[in-house]
Amino acid sequence: MKNFYISRIFNEGPSKGLSRPRPGLPLGPIAVLTVLILVLTAFSTRAEPPRLVLSLEEAQAMALTHSPILKAAQSDMAAAQKQVEVQLSMLLPRVTLDGSYFYQTIVPQVSLFPGSSGFNFGTHNNYAVGPTVSYTLWDQGELMDAWRSQKFLASSQAAQKDLARRQVILIARLDYFQVQLALEQELAISDSLRLIEAQYRDITKRFHAGSASQIDRLSTHDQVLDRRRDLRSSQADVASALRTLFALTGQSQDLDVSAPIDARIAGMRPSGLSTPTISVELDPLDSVEVKMVKASSAPLDPNYPQVLVYKLQAEAGKFEAASIRDGEWPKLKFAYKGQYLYPELPLVLNKSYWQNTASLNATVPILEFGRTKNQAAAQKLLAEASESQSVQALDDLLMNWHKAHDQYSALRDEEQLDQISVAETAKIATLRYASYKYGGSTILDVETADINALGARVSASLRRTQILIQLATLSSLSEMGDKNER
């Protein structure tokens, strides 16, 4: 895999330097304990899961490479461009090589005078071959308008491809942010679990010393179990977000992500968890936000692909209507045909010769019960419908643009409040536990403070992810969107 970096980390650990005891000399208890600690340390370091490192840019690039929707849009654009060349060729002279052959079983005989012997009028085998040149001298601009219509349709397909490209990048970013959010929540729950585990160990010691009740000890242990369940649930959320991202990028779907763990937790995992199947490292939220913050001040793209698609389709419809209307006028076509014939008729038999033919053909519709007129009117109405759709698309674009800006502004203010809340709830949790140890608070007060501190961190990570979502939306709708995504 080109853009994924998967590695299994093995650390030799301190066991590499152990010296083997001499036979016959028993090890003391301290030596045995030391050996066990070193062996367990070496075993744990070798049990590190494979590591997945993925940046936002890599995820976007892989999504663009894999996207079937984008590939289909590219094929549609290429097909439309070929149709432009086809329509252009109809404005130029056409040269063909024509040939014919037929075999007749009975050759008629002709007598010039009554009673005289007849002669064959033809032969059994007959053929003709030669080039034909045809050209439309005058059609009131029907073919020219049809060519122009096809050019606008091809441009519309190009805009459709650009729209698909922006949408793929936007979806890749949103899926990437969902993985980041799940990892941030996993990290917050992991930190909370380690804190409660430390409190549980302390309360257990206090219980054995007689300064804490059995109720407090069991209540704290129940909180440990709750956090472990929350952490396992958050791992499932990470796995689900990763699967969605893998499906979009078409990469690494065979990896075992049933128990993923944030790379920041890998070295200090809480106890009592299932063995992690993979360690995940994504771009930090701060670095992603720095890269995308310019989108908050970038101007709206006046040529946003979705609006451009309808405008170009409207122009194509106008020229198509004009091309149909041109069919009501006379058409003048010139043709030249040269043929090598066999046989020559009627008198010189069984002889080949070259025949040149030039023709001028004029046609004009007289009675068609309004077919051409109605077709042109229908095409004109379709063009007007496309124009109305372009206006509606622009209205929707402006609405989404302003909504994203409003949301971004509000989320920024909320983020500042989150920072204060995270710091204060963490401080309250510390003070509550300190107060509990001196009898000033109950274990319920401690649990409530711990839950509030965790909730503040989870809310803050959700808010930051929402900020990134609005920035991604603004980037996709802005002028910088297409520049950054090419």
Side-chain angles (χ1 to χ4, degrees), residues 53-329:
V53 181
L54 179 63
S55 68
L56 177 59
E57 289 76 11
E58 290 168 343
Q60 292 175 183
M62 285 185 290
L64 289 172
T65 301
H66 172 71
S67 175
I69 295 177
L70 183 57
K71 291 177 181 178
Q74 290 173 336
S75 297
D76 288 340
M77 182 187 70
Q81 291 172 343
K82 289 298 181 183
Q83 286 297 325
V84 174
E85 297 178 7
V86 170
Q87 202 65 47
L88 178 62
S89 67
M90 298 181 69
L91 293 168
L92 305 175
R94 178 178 172 84
V95 180
T96 60
L97 180 63
D98 301 328
S100 64
Y101 169 81
F102 70 90
Y103 176 85
Q104 54 186 1
T105 58
I106 299 175
V107 178
Q109 289 188 341
V110 177
S111 297
L112 295 179
F113 304 102
S116 63
S117 60
F119 61 89
N120 292 336
F121 192 79
T123 64
H124 292 286
N125 294 293
N126 300 265
Y127 64 80
V129 62
T132 300
V133 180
S134 59
Y135 179 64
T136 301
L137 294 177
W138 177 260
D139 64 354
Q140 194 63 26
E142 178 181 353
L143 293 177
M144 179 64 72
D145 288 336
W147 172 65
R148 290 169 177 166
S149 174
Q150 190 59 50
K151 283 185 65 178
F152 278 107
L153 285 177
S155 299
S156 173
Q157 288 296 334
Q160 189 71 45
K161 188 209 74 169
D162 290 340
L163 177 61
R165 181 184 176 86
R166 291 199 189 196
Q167 290 176 339
V168 168
I169 290 178
L170 177 59
I171 294 173
R173 288 174 173 176
L174 298 183
D175 289 347
Y176 190 89
F177 298 158
Q178 288 301 317
V179 180
Q180 285 181 312
L181 173 60
L183 290 174
E184 288 294 327
Q185 292 178 344
E186 183 186 49
L187 177 62
I189 296 173
S190 174
D191 291 342
S192 178
L193 174 57
R194 287 189 288 107
L195 174 63
I196 295 177
E197 284 179 336
Q199 292 176 354
Y200 174 66
R201 289 191 296 268
D202 182 58
I203 291 176
T204 300
K205 292 179 182 179
R206 292 168 57 83
F207 167 72
H208 291 305
S211 58
S213 68
Q214 178 74 339
I215 294 177
D216 290 352
R217 178 174 174 271
L218 292 177
S219 180
T220 306
H221 186 256
D222 188 58
Q223 288 297 308
V224 171
L225 298 179
D226 284 343
R227 288 296 182 279
R228 286 175 180 170
R229 282 191 290 266
D230 292 341
L231 184 56
R232 192 63 187 92
S233 178
S234 71
Q235 286 182 306
D237 293 338
V238 174
S240 178
L242 281 173
R243 289 300 179 193
T244 303
L245 184 61
F246 290 164
L248 184 68
T249 59
Q251 298 284 337
S252 300
Q253 300 201 47
D254 56 340
L255 290 178
D256 183 4
V257 296
S258 57
I261 192 166
D262 192 307
R264 294 169 291 182
I265 306 174
M268 48 181 181
R269 294 197 296 268
S271 62
L273 299 179
S274 56
T275 302
T277 58
I278 192 168
S279 173
V280 184
E281 180 179 349
L282 302 188
D283 290 342
L285 289 176
D286 290 338
S287 64
V288 175
E289 187 173 348
V290 168
K291 294 176 184 177
M292 301 189 62
V293 71
K294 292 181 180 178
S296 62
S297 57
L300 178 66
D301 189 356
N303 295 318
Y304 187 72
Q306 188 173 9
V307 178
L308 201 57
V309 164
Y310 292 124
K311 286 184 177 180
L312 293 171
Q313 288 178 350
E315 292 298 321
K318 292 177 183 178
F319 279 107
E320 180 65 22
S323 176
I324 295 173
R325 284 197 306 270
D326 294 336
E328 296 179 330
W329 293 82

Side-chain angles (χ1 to χ4, degrees), residues 444-462:
L444 181 59
D445 296 331
V446 174
E447 293 171 359
T448 302
D450 290 340
I451 292 174
N452 290 340
L454 175 60
R457 285 191 60 180
V458 171
S459 297
S461 60
L462 176 60

Side-chain angles (χ1 to χ4, degrees), residues 318-375:
K318 292 177 183 178
F319 279 107
E320 180 65 22
S323 176
I324 295 173
R325 284 197 306 270
D326 294 336
E328 296 179 330
W329 293 82
K331 295 180 184 178
L332 189 61
K333 294 184 178 180
F334 167 79
Y336 162 78
K337 188 174 186 178
Q339 285 187 311
Y340 188 70
L341 301 174
Y342 177 84
E344 182 179 1
L345 296 175
L347 299 177
V348 182
L349 301 178
N350 301 328
K351 179 180 179 182
S352 302
Y353 71 102
W354 183 267
Q355 178 69 46
N356 295 314
T357 304
S359 64
L360 196 62
N361 182 28
T363 59
V364 59
I366 296 178
L367 182 62
E368 56 179 6
F369 301 100
R371 183 182 64 180
T372 301
K373 181 179 180 180
N374 290 331
Q375 285 180 339

Side-chain angles (χ1 to χ4, degrees), residues 425-444:
T425 53
K427 184 65 174 177
I428 291 172
T430 302
L431 295 175
R432 277 295 183 190
Y433 189 69
S435 175
Y436 163 77
K437 291 195 294 184
Y438 292 102
S441 298
T442 65
I443 194 63
L444 181 59

Side-chain angles (χ1 to χ4, degrees), residues 25-26 39 180 289 315 395 434 460 463:
L25 294 179
V39 170
Q180 285 181 312
E289 187 173 348
E315 292 298 321
D395 290 342
R463 206 94 56 203

